[in-house]
């Protein structure tokens, strides 16, 4: 059965068929039968609360709005997913924002975005609030955190392998991935993250086999205000400013918003970037706290970027959890709507797409650097090697959920401690 809606021939007695919600013609405006905002909020909230990971949220949204409600065709929904991968940020949240925009315009985008973020915001903030409780502290024992870090590193390594197989194919893409990896292993400056992505995109643009093609995009008044703001945030993040502790604290949220504009390829790519921002003396977040945040991430619903409320709370309390979440997720939500309005031109521009392919290949280096960061903080012991082998088998071969692997590792550790203290 063809998912593309057929077009009714216009006659004196048969008016033309109205655009359907999933029709490509309706991507720039809300559909005629508009989704109630409360219904949209409730559906996305429940789906997000039941989704562990951004890919799971995308699958749940597709199942509900394509299979069950028939609000989108498969072709139209695949466009939403493709655009979400092209834009930085949490992919699952980007898809939710686009669904809301397609069903109810700007108001729907805000409602769906808030509903997608709220479940993991509440969960991770609760983890941070009870961080000093005996339960969390028992989970945060240094040796158990090291075992969790090994599982985390194994998961990131598997994700890196799969991403490389999916997005790195040509010689230029391999050069971009290898070169970016080598540079990021030598320097951890925020400017390096931004410059690498910019250089990779320009290399793909210049080396594109298609020549003489112009990218003509007409920005409206709001776009002309939004684009300079987003660019200035990226520049603020990238500049190696000699910041005093006072200014480093004051500029944390604008720099976090700029960092969000550089994260392609999923949540694990955020680890080295967020480490640069949060693991700093004025903020009081230690490497142990940072590792625990990512270890708790799979236990909470939402994408792996759900660590933001946790880190924000450790920095500034409840205000920090809210400010960090807003700073990180709102800019990428605005950018995805900006890109959505110009989707057709972007899809048809071969040089732009070629540049994005090379950029995505370079972004895989963030994952391998994250593995190195995890490995260098774990002692080389036989028990940790055993945990790594166990994690690779469970996650790579058996495809077990990561929270189940964490649970088995924690149970094994608890049994070992009990036996050792008898």
């Amino acid at each position: 059965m063809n998912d593309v809606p057929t077009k009714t021939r216009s006659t004196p007695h048969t008016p033309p068929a109205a655009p359907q919600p999933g029709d490509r013609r309706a991507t720039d405006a809300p559909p005629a039968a508009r989704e109630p905002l409360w219904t949209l909020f409730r559906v996305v909230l429940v789906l997000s609360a039941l989704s562990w990971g951004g890919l799971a949220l995308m699958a749940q949204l597709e199942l509900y709005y394509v299979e069950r409600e028939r609000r989108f065709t498969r072709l139209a929904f695949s466009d939403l997913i493709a655009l979400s991968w092209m834009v930085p940020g949490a992919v699952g949240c980007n898809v939710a924002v686009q669904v809301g925009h397609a069903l109810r315009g700007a108001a729907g985008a805000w409602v769906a975005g808030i509903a997608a973020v709220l479940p993991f915001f509440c969960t991770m903030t609760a983890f941070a609030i009870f961080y000093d409780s005996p339960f969390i502290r028992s989970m945060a024992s240094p040796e158990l955190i090291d075992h969790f870090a090994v599982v985390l590193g194994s998961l990131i390594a598997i994700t890196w392998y799969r991403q490389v197989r999916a997005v790195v194919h040509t010689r230029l893409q391999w050069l971009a991935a290898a070169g970016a990896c080598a540079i990021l292993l030598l320097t951890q400056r925020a400017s390096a993250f931004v410059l690498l992505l910019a250089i990779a995109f320009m290399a793909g643009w210049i080396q594109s086999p298609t020549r003489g093609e112009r990218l003509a995009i007409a920005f409206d008044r709001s776009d002309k205000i939004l684009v300079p703001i987003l660019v200035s945030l990226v520049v603020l993040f990238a500049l190696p400013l000699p910041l005093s502790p006072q200014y480093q604290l004051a500029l944390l949220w604008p720099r976090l918003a700029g960092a969000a504009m550089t994260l392609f390829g999923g949540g694990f790519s955020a680890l080295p970037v967020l480490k640069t921002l949060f693991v700093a003396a004025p903020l009081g977040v230690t490497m142990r706290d940072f590792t625990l945040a990512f270890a708790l991430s799979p236990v909470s619903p939402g994408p792996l970027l759900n660590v933001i409320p946790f880190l924000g709370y450790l920095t500034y309390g409840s205000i920090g959890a809210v400010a960090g979440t807003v700073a990180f997720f709102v800019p990428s939500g605005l950018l995805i709507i900006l890109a959505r309005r110009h989707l057709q031109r972007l899809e048809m521009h071969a040089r732009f797409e070629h540049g994005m392919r090379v950029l995505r290949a370079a972004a895989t280096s963030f994952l391998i650097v994250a593995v190195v960061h995890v490995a260098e903080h774990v002692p080389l012991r036989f028990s940790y090697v055993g945990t790594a082998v166990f994690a690779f088998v469970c996650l790579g071969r058996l495809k077990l959920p990561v929270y189940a692997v964490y649970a088995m590792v924690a149970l094994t550790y608890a049994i070992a401690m009990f036996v050792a203290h008898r």
Side-chain angles (χ1 to χ4, degrees):
M1 179 178 177
N2 192 353
D3 288 318
V4 181
T6 58
K7 186 175 180 180
T8 305
R9 186 182 299 275
S10 179
T11 67
H13 303 288
T14 307
Q20 299 300 312
D23 198 327
R24 191 183 297 271
R25 294 168 295 172
T27 55
D28 293 328
R34 302 201 304 171
E35 184 92 345
L37 288 177
W38 168 247
T39 301
L40 176 64
F41 177 83
R42 176 177 53 81
V43 169
V44 177
L45 180 73
V46 171
L47 296 182
S48 179
L50 297 176
S51 300
W52 274 260
L55 297 179
L57 178 56
M58 285 192 296
Q60 296 263 39
L61 289 169
E62 182 174 7
L63 182 65
Y64 184 85
Y65 283 109
V66 177
E67 298 286 345
R68 179 177 171 182
E69 296 296 319
R70 306 286 183 180
R71 302 286 293 183
F72 296 90
T73 64
R74 290 188 184 278
L75 177 62
F77 199 85
S78 67
D79 281 349
L80 305 186
I81 294 176
L83 183 59
S84 296
W85 281 108
M86 291 171 60
V87 175
V91 180
C93 293
N94 285 345
V95 173
V97 169
Q98 289 188 86
V99 167
H101 188 270
L103 296 176
R104 281 300 301 266
W110 282 101
V111 167
I114 293 172
V117 168
L118 195 57
F120 68 78
F121 169 82
C122 295
T123 305
M124 293 301 285
T125 302
F127 283 154
I129 291 173
F130 295 102
Y131 182 57
D132 291 325
S133 68
F135 173 72
I136 298 295
R137 281 297 176 185
S138 66
M139 292 182 62
S141 65
E143 194 169 349
L144 179 58
I145 288 299
D146 285 339
H147 282 285
F148 281 172
V150 171
V151 176
L152 176 66
S154 303
L155 179 60
I156 299 174
I158 293 170
T159 304
W160 170 77
Y161 174 73
R162 291 172 178 170
Q163 282 205 11
V164 166
R165 291 190 62 185
V167 304
V168 183
H169 302 292
T170 67
R171 181 181 179 183
L172 178 60
Q173 291 169 351
W174 278 109
L175 288 174
C181 184
I183 293 173
L184 290 182
L185 289 174
L186 296 175
T187 179
Q188 295 301 309
R189 293 183 177 273
S191 55
F193 302 141
V194 178
L195 288 175
L196 279 174
L197 296 178
I199 292 171
F201 178 82
M202 291 307 300
W205 178 284
I206 294 171
Q207 293 297 320
S208 173
T210 305
R211 305 285 179 176
E213 201 177 7
R214 295 183 60 187
L215 183 58
I217 296 180
F219 290 120
D220 59 24
R221 185 175 181 180
S222 61
D223 294 341
K224 292 178 180 178
I225 297 174
L226 177 61
V227 171
I229 292 176
L230 295 179
V231 172
S232 65
L233 292 174
V234 174
V235 172
L236 182 63
F237 168 67
L239 288 178
L241 300 176
L243 299 176
S244 66
Q246 179 181 359
Y247 286 107
Q248 194 167 357
L249 288 169
L251 295 177
L252 173 62
W253 309 128
R255 296 188 74 221
L256 179 61
M261 297 290 94
T262 69
L263 296 177
F264 293 83
F268 286 131
S269 63
L271 195 150
V273 178
L274 296 179
K275 177 176 175 288
T276 301
L277 284 175
F278 282 98
V279 184
L283 303 182
V285 178
T286 66
M287 189 61 198
R288 183 184 175 205
D289 299 331
F290 186 79
T291 304
L292 178 62
F294 273 90
L296 291 174
S297 173
V299 182
S300 169
L304 290 167
L305 291 169
N306 59 16
V307 298
I308 299 297
F310 188 96
L311 297 173
Y313 187 91
L314 295 185
T315 305
Y316 277 108
S318 299
I319 296 177
V322 175
T325 304
V326 170
F328 193 88
F329 289 96
V330 168
S332 60
L334 295 174
L335 184 60
I336 194 73
I337 296 304
L338 172 65
R340 178 179 169 78
R341 289 202 291 264
H342 305 288
L343 173 62
Q344 189 172 6
R345 290 187 179 92
L346 293 175
E347 284 183 328
M348 296 176 60
H349 196 275
R351 300 192 76 177
F352 180 88
E353 174 59 23
H354 195 265
M356 289 301 301
R357 289 176 185 173
V358 179
L359 184 148
R360 284 192 288 266
T364 60
S365 62
F366 287 71
L367 297 174
I368 199 65
V369 171
V371 175
V372 173
H373 280 314
V374 171
E376 66 185 7
H377 291 91
V378 176
L380 183 60
R381 297 178 186 170
F382 179 77
S383 60
Y384 296 133
V385 174
T387 299
V389 173
F390 176 74
F392 274 111
V393 172
C394 291
L395 298 171
R397 299 289 296 179
L398 303 180
K399 304 294 191 298
L400 294 179
V402 65
Y403 54 84
V405 180
Y406 276 127
M408 288 187 284
V409 169
L411 180 61
T412 303
Y413 175 80
I415 294 173
M417 290 297 100
F418 177 76
V419 172
H421 287 85
R422 285 194 63 181

